[in-house]
Amino acid sequence: MDPARAQALCATLDLPAPGPDLPPFFHHIYFWEAHPPEALGRDGHPAVGGTIPDMGLPRRMWAGGRLEFPAPLHSAIPAEKTTTIENTAHKHGRSGPLGFVTLRHEIRQNGTLCVREFQDLVYRTDPAPDTPRPVPPPAPDGAEETRPVQFSPTLLFRYSALTFNGHRIHYDRDYARDVEGYDGLVVHGPLLAQMLMLMAAEAGPLTRFSFRASAPLMDHEPATLCRAGPRYWVCGPNGRLCMSAEAG
C-alpha cells in the first residue's frame, strides 16, 4: 500500500499527511485494474463481460455501498483484495429498464480481514431528448453540523487519476452533456462518500458505514455536508438530497 498514493489523496482533499493507518475508504485509490484502450467501453470504464456481467445497458453509476472495518488498514504493507459477484438483478423503474450488480470486496493484510465492502452498481439506458428529469428527494431537516463544500474540475480530475477512474462524466464535459444528458461534470459518488466518511471518522474509528446516492451533483454546484447523530448526508442546491449515509 504505497504511502505516496495516500499522501497524494490527502493533498488533493487538502488534508494533513496520513499516519501509518489509512483513513477509511482510502483503499479505493489502490488495486487498480489497468486495461488497454481497446478493452474500454464508450464511457471510459472497462468494458463489461469480465468480472462484471453485461447487463445490456450502456450507462453505469455507483449507486451506493456498505462497508465494514474489522481492523485497521496499514500503509506501506502488502495487501490482497478479492472480489466476487454478490448479486445481479433486472428491474424496471420510472426512467426505464435498470440493471443492478452488487460486488463484494474483501481486503486482507497478513491474513487479517481489514475491509469488507459491498459495492452497488446500477446500469440504465440513455435518456431520450424529451425525457423529463426525475425529481430528486429533498434533504432532511435537523442537521446538527454542516460544512459547505465545492468540487472544482481540477479536484474531479485529480480524484479520477488517483482512483484510475476513466468514466468520462467526471472530466469530459461534452460527453457528460451530449451523451449522458448532464449539465456539467458529475462529482464522483465515491468522492462524496469519502468526504462523509472522513467527517464521521472525526468522532472515532469507524466500524461500519453505508451510503446511498440519490441525485447527481455537478462541478459548478455548491453543496453542504450534514450530520445529525450517526446520520450523514450531502445537500445540493435547492435542498435536494444527493447522498445519504449512516455511520457505525
Side-chain angles (χ1 to χ4, degrees), residues 103-190:
L103 303 177
R104 182 177 66 197
H105 309 290
E106 295 185 342
I107 301 174
R108 289 176 167 82
Q109 284 184 322
N110 296 323
T112 298
L113 178 65
C114 300
V115 179
R116 178 181 288 116
E117 176 182 8
F118 296 90
Q119 178 186 8
D120 297 326
L121 304 174
V122 61
Y123 293 82
R124 60 186 64 195
T125 59
D126 288 327
D130 57 348
T131 300
R133 297 194 177 194
V135 178
D141 298 322
E144 300 169 5
E145 182 181 2
T146 60
R147 298 182 188 179
V149 289
Q150 186 77 51
F151 299 90
S152 68
T154 301
L155 172 56
L156 299 190
F157 172 80
R158 295 176 79 184
Y159 190 75
S160 287
L162 281 168
T163 56
F164 211 74
N165 183 349
H167 200 177
R168 294 167 63 186
I169 61 173
H170 305 306
Y171 60 87
D172 186 337
R173 197 176 298 273
D174 291 341
Y175 173 86
R177 179 188 62 242
D178 299 338
V179 177
E180 300 214 16
Y182 297 107
D183 63 357
L185 298 177
V186 180
V187 179
H188 311 65

Side-chain angles (χ1 to χ4, degrees), residues 1-19 22-23 26 29-30 75 158 162:
M1 306 293 280
D2 184 0
R5 290 198 195 177
Q7 293 167 2
L9 181 55
C10 284
T12 298
L13 301 179
D14 196 21
L15 300 172
L22 291 174
F26 268 44
I29 63 174
Y30 297 92
S75 178
R158 295 176 79 184
L162 281 168

Side-chain angles (χ1 to χ4, degrees), residues 163-236:
T163 56
F164 211 74
N165 183 349
H167 200 177
R168 294 167 63 186
I169 61 173
H170 305 306
Y171 60 87
D172 186 337
R173 197 176 298 273
D174 291 341
Y175 173 86
R177 179 188 62 242
D178 299 338
V179 177
E180 300 214 16
Y182 297 107
D183 63 357
L185 298 177
V186 180
V187 179
H188 311 65
L191 178 54
L192 295 178
Q194 177 70 84
M195 301 295 284
L196 293 178
M197 263 182 263
L198 291 171
M199 186 177 181
E202 293 175 7
L206 292 178
T207 57
R208 297 175 183 272
F209 194 88
S210 61
F211 66 95
R212 176 67 53 186
S214 52
L217 180 71
M218 302 298 114
D219 67 303
H220 56 79
E221 295 181 315
T224 305
L225 307 181
C226 305
R227 180 192 65 82
R231 296 185 300 113
Y232 294 79
W233 64 93
V234 179
C235 180

